Short mmCIF file of all heavy atoms in Angstrom, two decimals:
data_model
loop_
_atom_site.label_atom_id
_atom_site.label_comp_id
_atom_site.label_asym_id
_atom_site.label_seq_id
_atom_site.Cartn_x
_atom_site.Cartn_y
_atom_site.Cartn_z
N GLY A 38 6.26 -14.67 -0.14
CA GLY A 38 7.43 -13.81 -0.21
C GLY A 38 8.67 -14.52 0.31
O GLY A 38 8.60 -15.58 0.92
N GLY A 39 9.82 -13.91 0.07
CA GLY A 39 11.06 -14.49 0.53
C GLY A 39 12.26 -13.77 -0.02
O GLY A 39 12.15 -12.71 -0.63
N LEU A 40 13.42 -14.36 0.21
CA LEU A 40 14.69 -13.82 -0.25
C LEU A 40 15.18 -14.63 -1.44
O LEU A 40 15.34 -15.85 -1.35
CB LEU A 40 15.73 -13.87 0.88
CG LEU A 40 17.16 -13.47 0.53
CD1 LEU A 40 17.21 -12.02 0.09
CD2 LEU A 40 18.07 -13.72 1.72
N VAL A 41 15.39 -13.95 -2.57
CA VAL A 41 15.85 -14.61 -3.79
C VAL A 41 16.95 -13.78 -4.43
O VAL A 41 17.17 -12.63 -4.08
CB VAL A 41 14.70 -14.82 -4.80
CG1 VAL A 41 13.63 -15.73 -4.21
CG2 VAL A 41 14.10 -13.49 -5.22
N GLN A 42 17.62 -14.39 -5.40
CA GLN A 42 18.64 -13.69 -6.16
C GLN A 42 18.06 -13.10 -7.43
O GLN A 42 17.03 -13.56 -7.93
CB GLN A 42 19.78 -14.64 -6.50
CG GLN A 42 20.58 -15.12 -5.31
CD GLN A 42 21.74 -16.01 -5.71
OE1 GLN A 42 21.66 -16.75 -6.68
NE2 GLN A 42 22.82 -15.93 -4.95
N ALA A 43 18.71 -12.08 -7.95
CA ALA A 43 18.27 -11.47 -9.19
C ALA A 43 18.17 -12.52 -10.30
O ALA A 43 19.04 -13.37 -10.44
CB ALA A 43 19.23 -10.36 -9.60
N GLY A 44 17.08 -12.46 -11.05
CA GLY A 44 16.83 -13.42 -12.10
C GLY A 44 15.93 -14.57 -11.68
O GLY A 44 15.42 -15.29 -12.55
N ASP A 45 15.73 -14.74 -10.39
CA ASP A 45 14.88 -15.82 -9.88
C ASP A 45 13.41 -15.47 -9.99
O ASP A 45 13.03 -14.37 -10.39
CB ASP A 45 15.23 -16.13 -8.43
CG ASP A 45 16.54 -16.88 -8.29
OD1 ASP A 45 17.11 -17.30 -9.30
OD2 ASP A 45 16.99 -17.04 -7.13
N SER A 46 12.57 -16.42 -9.61
CA SER A 46 11.12 -16.26 -9.66
C SER A 46 10.49 -16.53 -8.31
O SER A 46 11.03 -17.27 -7.49
CB SER A 46 10.51 -17.21 -10.69
OG SER A 46 10.98 -16.95 -12.00
N LEU A 47 9.34 -15.92 -8.08
CA LEU A 47 8.52 -16.17 -6.91
C LEU A 47 7.06 -16.12 -7.32
O LEU A 47 6.71 -15.43 -8.28
CB LEU A 47 8.75 -15.12 -5.82
CG LEU A 47 9.95 -15.24 -4.90
CD1 LEU A 47 10.02 -14.00 -4.00
CD2 LEU A 47 9.87 -16.49 -4.05
N ARG A 48 6.22 -16.82 -6.59
CA ARG A 48 4.79 -16.72 -6.78
C ARG A 48 4.13 -16.33 -5.47
O ARG A 48 4.23 -17.05 -4.47
CB ARG A 48 4.17 -18.03 -7.28
CG ARG A 48 2.70 -17.85 -7.70
CD ARG A 48 2.06 -19.12 -8.21
NE ARG A 48 1.74 -20.05 -7.13
CZ ARG A 48 0.83 -21.01 -7.22
NH1 ARG A 48 0.16 -21.17 -8.36
NH2 ARG A 48 0.62 -21.82 -6.20
N LEU A 49 3.46 -15.20 -5.47
CA LEU A 49 2.73 -14.73 -4.31
C LEU A 49 1.28 -15.19 -4.39
O LEU A 49 0.71 -15.29 -5.47
CB LEU A 49 2.76 -13.20 -4.22
CG LEU A 49 4.13 -12.53 -4.22
CD1 LEU A 49 3.97 -11.02 -4.06
CD2 LEU A 49 5.03 -13.10 -3.14
N SER A 50 0.70 -15.45 -3.22
CA SER A 50 -0.69 -15.85 -3.14
C SER A 50 -1.44 -14.91 -2.21
O SER A 50 -0.86 -14.38 -1.25
CB SER A 50 -0.83 -17.28 -2.61
OG SER A 50 -0.20 -18.21 -3.46
N CYS A 51 -2.71 -14.70 -2.49
CA CYS A 51 -3.57 -13.90 -1.63
C CYS A 51 -4.89 -14.63 -1.48
O CYS A 51 -5.67 -14.71 -2.45
CB CYS A 51 -3.79 -12.50 -2.22
SG CYS A 51 -4.98 -11.51 -1.29
N ALA A 52 -5.15 -15.15 -0.30
CA ALA A 52 -6.38 -15.87 -0.01
C ALA A 52 -7.39 -14.93 0.63
O ALA A 52 -7.07 -14.24 1.60
CB ALA A 52 -6.11 -17.05 0.91
N ALA A 53 -8.60 -14.90 0.10
CA ALA A 53 -9.66 -14.03 0.60
C ALA A 53 -10.69 -14.84 1.36
O ALA A 53 -11.00 -15.98 1.01
CB ALA A 53 -10.33 -13.28 -0.55
N SER A 54 -11.25 -14.22 2.39
CA SER A 54 -12.31 -14.85 3.16
C SER A 54 -13.25 -13.77 3.68
O SER A 54 -12.93 -12.58 3.66
CB SER A 54 -11.75 -15.67 4.32
OG SER A 54 -11.01 -14.86 5.21
N GLY A 55 -14.43 -14.18 4.14
CA GLY A 55 -15.41 -13.24 4.64
C GLY A 55 -16.56 -13.06 3.66
O GLY A 55 -16.88 -13.96 2.89
N ARG A 56 -17.16 -11.88 3.68
CA ARG A 56 -18.32 -11.63 2.84
C ARG A 56 -17.95 -11.50 1.37
O ARG A 56 -16.81 -11.18 1.02
CB ARG A 56 -19.05 -10.37 3.30
CG ARG A 56 -18.37 -9.08 2.92
CD ARG A 56 -19.23 -7.89 3.30
NE ARG A 56 -18.65 -6.64 2.85
CZ ARG A 56 -18.85 -6.10 1.66
NH1 ARG A 56 -19.63 -6.73 0.78
NH2 ARG A 56 -18.29 -4.96 1.34
N THR A 57 -18.92 -11.72 0.53
CA THR A 57 -18.73 -11.59 -0.91
C THR A 57 -18.80 -10.12 -1.32
O THR A 57 -19.67 -9.38 -0.88
CB THR A 57 -19.80 -12.38 -1.66
OG1 THR A 57 -19.70 -13.77 -1.33
CG2 THR A 57 -19.64 -12.22 -3.17
N VAL A 58 -17.86 -9.71 -2.13
CA VAL A 58 -17.85 -8.36 -2.70
C VAL A 58 -18.27 -8.47 -4.15
O VAL A 58 -17.61 -9.14 -4.95
CB VAL A 58 -16.46 -7.71 -2.59
CG1 VAL A 58 -16.46 -6.34 -3.26
CG2 VAL A 58 -16.03 -7.60 -1.14
N THR A 59 -19.37 -7.83 -4.49
CA THR A 59 -19.85 -7.87 -5.86
C THR A 59 -19.04 -6.92 -6.73
O THR A 59 -18.55 -5.89 -6.27
CB THR A 59 -21.33 -7.51 -5.94
OG1 THR A 59 -21.54 -6.20 -5.41
CG2 THR A 59 -22.18 -8.50 -5.15
N ASN A 60 -18.90 -7.28 -8.01
CA ASN A 60 -18.14 -6.48 -8.96
C ASN A 60 -16.74 -6.17 -8.43
O ASN A 60 -16.26 -5.04 -8.53
CB ASN A 60 -18.89 -5.18 -9.28
CG ASN A 60 -18.43 -4.55 -10.58
OD1 ASN A 60 -17.97 -5.24 -11.48
ND2 ASN A 60 -18.57 -3.24 -10.67
N ALA A 61 -16.10 -7.18 -7.88
CA ALA A 61 -14.84 -6.99 -7.17
C ALA A 61 -13.64 -6.91 -8.10
O ALA A 61 -13.57 -7.59 -9.13
CB ALA A 61 -14.63 -8.12 -6.17
#
Side-chain angles (χ1 to χ4, degrees):
L40 174 63
V41 298
Q42 293 183 327
D45 286 352
S46 298
L47 279 175
R48 189 180 75 158
L49 305 183
S50 298
C51 174
S54 60
R56 76 174 185 87
T57 299
V58 177
T59 59
N60 200 27

